[in-house]
Each structure stands twice: as C-alpha cells, then as structure tokens.
Amino acid sequence: MPEEVAVESNTPAQQPAESSSQKAVETLVLDTNLFIKGLPVSHISNRFVTVPDVVHELRSRASKDRYKEFELKYGMELIEPDGESIRAVGNFAKKTGDFASLAVADIKVIALAFMLEKQANGMKNLRLEPVKNPDISNRELLRNARVAGTEQKEQLEDIEEQAERAERAERAEQGVEERAGQGVEERAGQGVEERAGQGVEERAGQG
C-alpha cells in the first residue's frame, strides 16, 4: 500500500474519536496555522513533521505553548526540504501566479510535502507543471506580484543555496567517514601482515 503524505488544512473539521488503528494518512506535514488556531489533527495521522521555519514563525505565547504541548503529546519531526524540492515548488508557484503571495516558510512546507511524497511514492502523484496557466488580466495586480516576486526570488535563492550547501556537507562528511573506515582497514591489514612477517622471520631464525 503506498504511503500517503498530506499538508494540514487551515479549515477546522469535526474530530472523530481517536484510535490506534490505521489513520487517514501516513505522514502529515504541519503549517504554522495549526498552532496559531489550535486545529485538531491528531486523528488524521500518527506521524507529524514540519520545517524549522514554522517554529520560528510562532510569536504568541499561546501558539508556542500549543506547539510544545503537541510535540510532547504526539511527537514532532523537524525536517529541511532538499534544494531540488524547493526549486520544484518555487518554479510551479511562479507558473500559477502564487509565488508572490507565498512566504518562505510556506514554500518550504510545500517542498517538504513534495520531498516526502516523492521519497514514498515517486512522482506518480506529483506534477511539475500546472494543468493550465492562469490568465492574469489585472495589470496592477500583476505589477505588484512581480515586485513581491523579485523579493521572494532572492529569499528562495538563498534557501536553495543553504539546502545545497547542507547536501554537499553531508556528502563530504559521508566521504570522510568512508575514507576513515578504509584507512582503519588498511592499517589493520598492514598490522596483520607485519606481525605475520615477523613470526616467519623469528621461526626461520630459530630453525
């Protein structure tokens, strides 16, 4: 059965009785609104994830308390989406005209859902192109969107660079660990050979 990944809705829904049985989705990606509005979602999934930016967006004491209570009760995984997923979401939002209205945290939340869905089920439930490009007839709205979009683009580029640096650092760290492991094996092998050689020489001398 394919794993399901969903982004929580901002609309409160009737909460059914909780059960330890199979829930609606395998993984639920949470947005800031859940903690601002106190929306019930524990009945939807058993695994909850979000991006660190969501936690940083919480300003009020009430929203911070809701986050801490939720984390203690249900658990929370903080995951950064990779650069590929961030670029895919940013490019898609530009084509639909939504890019200017999305905050950096919004893009990263959607990118996290994209990344997890791709890891779980590949691209069969995802698309990189919108079904139809929107027709924006309001010129003032279009101009404002372009101005805001330029600012967002700079922020998005910074995010992509950060994600790519993190990926390179992780690959470099894995490479160091592999080389270190190989070095230990080589030294151990050399030690065995040296001891074996010394034993042969000693027995030959005794003979």
Side-chain angles (χ1 to χ4, degrees):
M1 180 178 180
E3 179 178 325
E4 296 185 7
V5 179
V7 179
E8 59 88 11
S9 169
N10 294 335
T11 304
Q14 184 177 358
Q15 182 176 4
E18 291 190 28
S19 171
S20 59
S21 61
Q22 183 69 31
K23 295 189 177 180
V25 295
E26 184 73 21
T27 302
L28 190 64
V29 182
L30 304 180
D31 193 7
T32 312
N33 277 293
L34 179 134
F35 306 108
I36 292 176
K37 299 178 180 179
L39 304 176
V41 295
S42 60
H43 59 290
I44 300 175
S45 179
N46 289 317
R47 182 193 181 203
F48 303 98
V49 302
T50 191
V51 298
D53 294 62
V54 164
V55 182
H56 299 155
E57 278 191 334
L58 300 177
R59 297 286 184 265
S60 70
R61 171 65 64 182
S63 62
K64 291 178 180 179
D65 288 345
R66 289 191 191 103
Y67 175 83
K68 290 178 182 177
E69 182 180 354
F70 189 96
E71 183 181 29
L72 288 172
K73 190 171 183 180
Y74 303 109
M76 177 72 69
E77 296 178 52
L78 297 181
I79 306 174
E80 283 284 1
D82 56 33
E84 179 185 357
S85 300
I86 292 172
R87 282 190 294 275
V89 170
N91 291 334
F92 193 98
K94 291 172 190 175
K95 294 172 183 176
T96 61
D98 296 311
F99 186 74
S101 63
L102 292 173
V104 171
D106 297 328
I107 292 174
K108 294 179 80 170
V109 165
I110 300 170
L112 177 58
F114 180 97
M115 182 182 78
L116 295 176
E117 174 62 28
K118 184 178 178 181
Q119 290 174 353
N121 302 309
M123 292 294 293
K124 66 180 182 180
N125 298 320
L126 301 168
R127 64 167 62 98
L128 298 177
E129 298 289 335
V131 175
K132 182 180 179 181
N133 289 331
D135 178 18
I136 303 178
S137 57
N138 188 320
R139 294 183 179 275
E140 183 178 357
L141 177 63
L142 182 58
R143 282 195 299 271
N144 292 338
R146 283 173 178 166
V147 172
T150 300
E151 296 174 353
Q152 284 284 83
K153 181 181 178 182
E154 293 175 355
Q155 291 179 310
L156 186 60
E157 288 174 348
D158 289 341
I159 294 171
E160 291 174 358
E161 289 180 7
Q162 292 173 13
E164 288 172 357
R165 282 199 299 270
E167 290 170 7
R168 287 197 298 270
E170 184 177 351
R171 289 195 295 270
E173 184 177 346
Q174 290 174 350
V176 169
E177 291 176 354
E178 289 175 1
R179 288 193 296 274
Q182 291 171 356
V184 169
E185 291 176 359
E186 289 175 0
R187 289 194 296 273
Q190 291 170 357
V192 170
E193 292 174 359
E194 289 174 359
R195 289 193 295 273
Q198 291 170 357
V200 170
E201 292 175 357
E202 289 176 359
R203 288 194 296 274
Q206 290 171 358

